[in-house]
């Protein structure tokens, strides 16, 4: 019996460095063992600053189609970006005014544009999906970006195919959604409702989020499932020995932004310093973006010589750095909505791994 084919819409896919690409690539890697041959429709070109050289092998059954966006967009992007900027010479808490202004601009645009700014690629992606969908038995889309669900839903209706929407993060329940303009929030809630009511199955990453969506859409409760992110082994080799006299190194791998903060850890380090109990040369490294709020907190607590914001690195290199560290940190969010999100950038989806706690209920997958 030949494998059934699934068309996967995933704007983020390796070599994209974003952690969002990891869930899609793990699904693509393991679906063939369940009798599905994936075609992944993803972005055409990944800017050098967003690339991850970590090897992500895929089985022969997987086809990667890099035509989500039109070829002209990457060409224009490369022309406008100019030569790559030099990396910072040393990790620092300081950010230039250009970086701060750029972030404020992107936040303002995101607040006004429904779904996401990547939606400018939606017309081309919709045409490409219309070409590919008739040759596939199932359509699957993942967000961010959220507009991919609308494209997949429309194609599923047109060609009579079942459709699965994978929400890596909440949509209207997301804290990011709440800071958008009121008209933008209305449009996104309407789009979310259309997707959840129209999908044959909706997949989220935590049971808490699944229960929230079941309560919002009781008529679809039996078709909303939690598929947890799980651990997938990666051979990193032996842990390097600690050099004599090396500083005690505490490390967090990932971006710290929005409601997530390392403030509690900063305060603990500052207290240890006041009490004379902080080891000499201790370092707290964040491998990724660190919010301006946390940067200011570290500086105000006198930790400018302790806290380091390190430029993002390749996924495999980051895991090796974590293995070599003395202590690992995870940014937490003390709020009921925190359980709607998955934290930790080394978690991946694997059909062979044990589910995280609490154990999810056995999904009752619909018959297609």
């Amino acid at each position: 019996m030949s494998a059934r084919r699934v068309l996967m819409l995933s704007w983020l896919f390796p070599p994209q460095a974003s952690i969002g690409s990891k869930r899609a690539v793990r699904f693509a890697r393991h679906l063939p063992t369940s009798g599905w041959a994936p075609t992944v429709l993803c972005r055409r070109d990944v800017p050098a600053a967003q690339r991850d050289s970590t090897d992500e092998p895929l089985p022969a059954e997987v086809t990667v189609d890099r035509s989500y966006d039109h070829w002209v967009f990457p060409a224009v992007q490369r022309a406008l970006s100019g030569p790559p900027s030099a990396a910072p010479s040393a990790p620092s808490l300081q950010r230039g005014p250009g970086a701060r202004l750029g972030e404020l601009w992107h936040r303002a645009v995101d607040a006004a544009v429904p779904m996401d700014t990547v939606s400018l690629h939606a017309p081309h992606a919709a045409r490409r999906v219309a070409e590919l969908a008739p040759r596939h038995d199932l359509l699957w889309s993942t967000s961010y970006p959220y507009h991919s669900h609308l494209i997949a839903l429309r194609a599923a209706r047109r060609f009579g195919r079942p459709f699965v929407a994978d929400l890596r993060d909440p949509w209207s329940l997301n804290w990011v959604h709440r800071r958008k303009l009121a008209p933008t929030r209305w449009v996104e809630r309407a789009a979310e409702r259309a997707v959840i009511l129209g999908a044959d199955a909706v997949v989220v990453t935590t049971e808490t989020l699944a229960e929230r969506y079941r309560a919002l859409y009781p008529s679809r409760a039996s078709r909303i499932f939690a598929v947890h992110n799980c651990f997938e082994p990666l051979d990193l080799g032996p842990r390097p020995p600690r050099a004599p006299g090396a500083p005690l190194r505490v490390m967090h791998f990932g971006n710290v932004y929005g409601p997530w903060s390392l403030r509690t850890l900063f305060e603990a380090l500052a207290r240890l310093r006041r009490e004379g109990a902080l080891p000499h040369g201790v370092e707290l490294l964040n491998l990724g973006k660190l919010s301006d709020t946390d940067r200011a907190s570290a500086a105000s607590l006198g930790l400018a010589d302790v806290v380091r914001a390190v430029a993002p690195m390749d996924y495999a290199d980051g895991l090796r750095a974590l293995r070599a560290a003395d202590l690992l940190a995870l940014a937490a969010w003390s709020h009921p909505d925190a359980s709607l999100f998955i934290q930790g950038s080394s978690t991946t989806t694997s059909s062979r791994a044990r589910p995280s706690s609490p154990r999810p209920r056995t999904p009752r997958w619909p018959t297609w």
Side-chain angles (χ1 to χ4, degrees):
M1 179 178 176
S2 60
R4 293 169 292 178
R5 297 205 60 83
V6 52
L7 177 59
M8 303 176 62
L9 280 69
S10 181
W11 169 257
L12 301 177
F13 201 75
Q16 176 76 44
S18 169
I19 194 63
S21 71
K22 300 303 179 186
R23 184 170 169 93
V25 76
R26 300 303 193 270
F27 270 118
R29 179 177 300 158
H30 294 293
L31 278 172
T33 64
S34 298
W36 288 93
T39 298
V40 182
L41 182 64
C42 58
R43 68 183 301 179
R44 189 178 298 270
D45 186 50
V46 179
Q50 300 175 23
R51 282 181 171 267
D52 183 348
S53 62
T54 301
D55 185 31
E56 295 285 4
L58 292 168
E61 295 91 338
V62 180
T63 301
V64 180
D65 186 317
R66 300 188 184 277
S67 61
Y68 194 111
D69 50 340
H70 195 278
W71 66 267
V72 73
F73 288 103
V76 171
Q77 185 178 47
R78 286 192 298 269
L80 294 178
S81 62
S85 58
S89 57
S92 171
L93 283 180
Q94 302 300 317
R95 277 213 314 168
R100 292 194 294 270
L101 288 174
E103 184 172 324
L104 289 174
W105 167 253
H106 286 298
R107 182 176 297 183
V109 172
D110 288 339
V113 177
M115 265 75 76
D116 37 72
T117 54
V118 182
S119 295
L120 66 92
H121 302 297
H124 176 80
R127 289 191 294 271
R128 186 64 181 139
V129 169
E131 295 171 357
L132 296 171
R135 304 197 296 272
H136 292 79
D137 304 292
L138 171 71
L139 276 70
W140 178 96
S141 57
T142 186
S143 54
Y144 166 88
Y146 295 101
H147 77 260
S148 65
H149 300 311
L150 296 173
I151 294 174
L153 174 62
R154 181 183 179 188
R157 288 174 172 171
R158 177 181 175 184
F159 298 105
R161 300 293 190 271
F163 160 51
V164 177
D166 176 60
L167 300 177
R168 296 193 309 269
D169 285 321
W171 193 342
S172 67
L173 301 175
N174 199 316
W175 63 271
V176 175
H177 177 81
R178 290 196 288 269
R179 71 183 187 186
K180 291 177 177 286
L181 299 177
T184 306
R185 294 198 303 271
W186 184 90
V187 171
E188 292 206 14
R189 285 194 297 268
E192 177 187 68
R193 181 176 180 82
V195 168
I196 292 181
L197 295 181
D200 295 274
V202 176
V203 176
V204 297
T205 57
T206 74
E207 187 62 31
T208 304
L209 180 57
E211 290 296 343
R212 290 280 291 272
Y213 273 124
R214 289 170 191 143
L216 283 174
Y217 301 97
S219 66
R220 309 301 291 173
S222 64
R223 299 201 174 199
I224 299 175
F225 309 100
V227 176
H228 293 247
N229 286 353
C230 299
F231 175 74
E232 186 174 61
L234 179 65
D235 184 10
L236 299 174
R239 186 176 187 271
R242 195 167 187 272
L248 178 71
R249 178 163 288 182
V250 184
M251 192 170 293
H252 175 264
F253 184 18
N255 298 328
V256 181
Y257 62 101
W260 288 278
S261 175
L262 295 173
R263 169 90 188 186
T264 304
L265 184 53
F266 296 161
E267 291 174 345
L269 292 172
R271 179 176 177 179
L272 289 173
R273 169 167 279 181
R274 290 194 304 270
E275 296 175 354
L278 188 67
H280 177 71
V282 66
E283 291 181 333
L284 171 58
L285 271 66
N286 187 75
L287 309 182
K289 296 178 181 178
L290 190 63
S291 69
D292 285 337
T293 300
D294 267 20
R295 291 170 185 265
S297 295
S300 67
L301 292 168
L303 298 175
D305 61 326
V306 174
V307 180
R308 300 284 185 266
V310 182
M313 60 179 63
D314 285 350
Y315 183 73
D317 291 339
L319 294 184
R320 293 187 182 95
L322 289 177
R323 184 168 187 176
D326 299 289
L327 294 171
L328 305 181
L330 186 62
W333 180 18
S334 181
H335 189 278
D337 284 353
S339 58
L340 305 181
F341 296 81
I342 287 291
Q343 298 178 47
S345 55
S346 62
T347 55
T348 55
T349 302
S350 170
S351 60
R352 298 172 295 178
R354 293 178 297 176
S356 57
S357 181
R359 187 177 182 87
R361 68 180 185 177
T362 302
R364 299 187 303 275
W365 291 100
T367 301
W368 292 313

